[in-house]
Amino acid sequence: DRSSIHATNGRSRAVKRAEGLPAGLHEIRQGLLVGVIPKDKLDLLVHAVRDKREALDDPRLSAVLDEIELRAEVELAKLTRTI
């Protein structure tokens, strides 16, 4: 049936678009573990997540991207706050 083919194709496209995120997430994770995350990496991650989310039609993938973006925004806020 065409609707199931369309849904499968849409999910496949969304997965392909999200494939570039794991490497960036790994770098962020490593930075969190050692206590140093470059601000530019976090900025890139936030922008990548926002770009990817716009093209998604899968609510579960969108929810994952929401969590990633929130965490990155929190880390950015920590880096930019004045003490």
Side-chain angles (χ1 to χ4, degrees):
D1 142 279
R2 285 183 183 243
S3 63
S4 64
I5 290 171
H6 179 67
T8 301
N9 288 339
R11 179 164 171 72
S12 297
R13 284 192 305 270
V15 169
K16 283 183 180 183
R17 284 187 211 105
E19 286 176 347
L21 289 175
L25 292 174
H26 179 72
E27 288 181 32
I28 299 299
R29 181 176 176 265
Q30 291 299 100
L32 287 169
L33 292 173
V34 297
V36 179
I37 305 170
K39 184 180 178 301
D40 62 325
K41 295 282 186 190
L42 287 170
D43 283 329
L44 287 172
L45 178 62
V46 168
H47 291 295
V49 167
R50 287 178 183 158
D51 290 344
K52 302 292 182 195
R53 186 183 311 109
E54 289 176 8
L56 286 179
D57 56 357
D58 184 329
R60 292 179 299 170
L61 288 175
S62 186
V64 169
L65 292 180
D66 289 343
E67 292 293 324
I68 293 168
E69 181 181 13
L70 176 62
R71 181 60 188 191
E73 291 284 0
V74 167
E75 293 303 320
L76 277 170
K78 288 180 186 178
L79 290 173
T80 57
R81 72 177 178 210
T82 55
I83 296 175

